[in-house]
Amino acid sequence: MSRRTGQREGLGWLWLPLGVVGAFLYVPIAALVFMSFNSGKSALNFKGLSLRWYPELFRDPDIGHALLNSLLVGVGAMVMSTVLGTMVAVGLVRFTRSTALDSLVMAPAILPDLMLAIGLLAFFTAVGLPLGLGTVAIAHAAFGTAFVVAVVRARLIQLDSSLEEASTDLGAGWFTTFVRITLPSISPAVLAGALLSFTLSIDEFVIAFFTNGPTSPTLPIEIYSRVRFGVTPEINALATILLLVSMSAVVVAAWAVGRQEKPRD
């Protein structure tokens, strides 16, 4: 009997609740993807298979404008989150270790989105910063940094610090050591954190709703404004494309981290 077969038999009746949970999580997503190929105008009544709504989606100027806004916000938040998160992770692991600082850095990822959104809105209003795509990008970077720190920090803890010490002993400064030794070693984790922050920014709604201006809606805000008047297969097609983009980013991030985890010959 193989090890895999033994593991399946060991689970026994646990396969039943596992299957129920899997169906609860993935059947609605599968239904959404399937209904995006509906030839009818209703998102609830299936009339036949068709790719009609995908060309309609790309011809919609409002969707295109909102998508461009989301991409701009996502890239801006990703860059800020990656730079700040990597610097903070290096500082926490290599220079100072503090439980209080760890908790402070991870707080934006733990706090409810509504509380964080109201706090950021109050801050932007207090400093007189006009609401728009820039404030949304800053707000997304605020919680995205925490996820980058978590990913990069986990990799730094596994990294042998003797390599950096050897570089310093040979006369290299801290910047040269970071660029030539530390950064190449943690680059897959940095890439994974960047993709994670970008994915979180693209489909984030609550914080963007509070910190954005009235003339530059992001894609989730545009979708919300349309869903209030009824879901159409066009929204299903858009959700399917976003699902594929998110899954691709997660797969690339997992591949990058897994590649780094493989033992070197």
Side-chain angles (χ1 to χ4, degrees), residues 7-149:
Q7 290 176 346
R8 291 180 177 178
E9 291 181 353
L11 287 175
W13 61 271
L14 291 178
W15 280 105
L16 179 60
L18 181 62
V20 173
V21 172
F24 177 77
L25 292 175
Y26 296 109
V27 167
I29 298 177
L32 181 146
V33 174
F34 178 75
M35 292 302 293
S36 70
F37 298 100
N38 184 14
S39 61
K41 294 184 178 181
S42 173
L44 302 178
N45 298 324
F46 185 75
K47 297 294 183 65
L49 292 175
S50 174
L51 294 174
R52 164 189 176 184
W53 296 103
Y54 285 89
E56 290 285 342
L57 176 65
F58 289 108
R59 285 195 294 264
D60 192 325
D62 293 333
I63 290 292
H65 179 65
L67 177 59
L68 178 61
N69 290 339
S70 288
L71 291 176
L72 292 175
V73 169
V75 171
M78 178 185 68
V79 172
M80 289 186 285
S81 298
T82 304
V83 174
L84 292 175
T86 302
M87 294 172 60
V88 171
V90 172
L92 289 175
V93 175
R94 290 292 184 257
F95 296 98
T96 178
R97 296 193 177 185
S98 170
T99 304
L101 286 177
D102 285 344
S103 302
L104 182 64
V105 170
M106 296 306 298
I110 300 173
L111 291 174
D113 288 348
L114 183 60
M115 182 183 301
L116 185 61
I118 295 174
L120 288 167
L121 175 60
F123 170 76
F124 293 143
T125 303
V127 300
L129 196 61
L131 298 182
L133 296 181
T135 53
V136 178
I138 295 173
H140 284 181
F143 74 86
T145 299
F147 292 94
V148 176
V149 170

Side-chain angles (χ1 to χ4, degrees), residues 148-173:
V148 176
V149 170
V151 176
V152 177
R153 185 173 181 271
R155 176 56 189 157
L156 276 169
I157 292 175
Q158 299 176 354
L159 184 63
D160 188 2
S161 60
S162 62
L163 297 174
E164 297 165 317
E165 294 172 358
S167 175
T168 304
D169 292 340
L170 291 173

Side-chain angles (χ1 to χ4, degrees), residues 162-184:
S162 62
L163 297 174
E164 297 165 317
E165 294 172 358
S167 175
T168 304
D169 292 340
L170 291 173
W174 67 268
F175 182 77
T176 302
T177 299
F178 175 76
V179 172
R180 303 191 65 175
I181 304 297
T182 307
L183 187 58

